[in-house]
Amino acid sequence: MAGEIGVVVCGARGRMGRTVVAAVAAEPDMAVAAEVDLDDDIAAALASGARVMVDFTAPDAALGNARAALAAGVAPIVGTTGMAAGAVDELAAAAAGAGLGGAVIPNFAIGAVLMMRLAEIAGPYFEAVEVVEAHHAQKLDAPSGTALATARRLAAARATPFAYARPEKVTLEGTRGGEEGSVGVHSIRLPGLVADQEIIFGAAGQTMTIAHRTTGREAFMPGVLATIRAVNDTGRFYRALDEVLGLASAAGEG
């Protein structure tokens, strides 16, 4: 493994984990140092000479795995969504203190990053906007990390809040979904889906929709691989894939 970036994959027996293992193994400058699942000894895996750990497990396990990685001198990359903002801040501070890079990224699809960036550009020109995300039925959190990040970035890109329509009478609780910074957010969970999102803008006499569809988990691999290299090469902590890719954000991110 000399000269290669050794990677520990947490959640290696899950669908995303298996895809990450295959993608890393196919790269000439990387090697799979260890494959770990929830019931395996992560300490032994981190002692394998790895430089980077990639985690796709569950929100409660991901934070502990990232802490263990930093304690072992391994840079953590967390793709598991549902972690609290305070946990991300904790990991960023711990990585800086350890002199290591790291990342907590809600979506590794390059198309999803471009979708959010285009939405930031469009946001100031429309009166209202709602986000509809759709994922497979086994997804543990709702809304998705991408939907929350999209709503927050849309709100930050405007000088004034969006208009958010509140019905006078609610006959079925939760029908309007959630609200984040005057942006409506809705979640769909169905078998057969992978990860989709639509951002629907509205103004007098017109609507506009920006959509991203994921048909396979291979869509996330270029972003995962780019983040592994960035964390290893720069020693920085990243909170979004657009930071890794060097894309400017209207909200001042990246």
Side-chain angles (χ1 to χ4, degrees):
M1 202 164 60
E4 297 173 319
I5 305 171
V7 181
V8 173
V9 180
C10 293
R13 290 193 284 277
R15 285 171 292 185
M16 273 295 290
R18 291 196 301 269
T19 309
V20 172
V21 167
V24 169
E27 294 299 300
D29 60 335
M30 298 182 192
V32 178
E35 301 177 28
V36 184
D37 223 325
L38 292 174
D39 54 351
D40 294 329
D41 184 356
I42 188 170
L46 292 168
S48 60
R51 286 186 254 163
V52 176
M53 180 200 76
V54 176
D55 186 286
F56 283 99
T57 55
D60 55 347
L63 179 57
N65 290 343
R67 286 169 173 160
L70 288 168
V74 177
I77 296 174
V78 179
T80 304
T81 61
M83 291 178 62
V88 180
D89 292 339
E90 175 198 325
L91 292 179
L100 294 168
V104 178
I105 292 179
N107 196 320
F108 285 97
I110 292 172
V113 170
L114 295 171
M115 169 190 63
M116 287 190 281
R117 184 67 188 92
L118 292 170
E120 285 181 308
I121 295 170
Y125 299 94
F126 286 85
E127 298 168 14
V129 62
E130 306 220 355
V131 177
V132 182
E133 57 96 351
H135 281 75
H136 55 89
Q138 290 75 39
K139 185 168 177 59
L140 299 178
D141 59 319
S144 68
T146 299
L148 276 177
T150 301
R152 289 166 182 163
R153 290 172 62 158
L154 280 164
R158 285 177 63 89
T160 58
F162 287 102
Y164 179 77
R166 292 177 176 82
E168 292 185 8
K169 182 179 180 181
V170 176
T171 55
L172 181 61
E173 197 63 38
T175 301
R176 284 290 289 122
E179 180 191 352
E180 176 68 28
S182 73
V183 177
V185 182
H186 309 265
S187 296
I188 296 169
R189 297 290 177 268
L190 287 172
L193 294 169
V194 179
D196 297 345
Q197 181 167 293
E198 291 188 356
I199 305 165
I200 307 171
F201 295 91
Q206 62 180 315
T207 64
M208 184 179 79
T209 300
I210 301 173
H212 179 253
R213 312 277 183 219
T214 304
T215 58
R217 288 170 176 80
E218 297 79 9
F220 305 111
M221 293 307 105
V224 170
L225 297 173
T227 304
I228 291 171
R229 293 186 179 100
V231 164
N232 180 76
D233 295 346
T234 69
R236 279 187 54 191
F237 192 91
Y238 299 90
R239 295 172 184 255
L241 185 60
D242 47 0
E243 296 178 9
V244 174
L245 301 177
L247 294 173
S249 164
E253 301 174 13

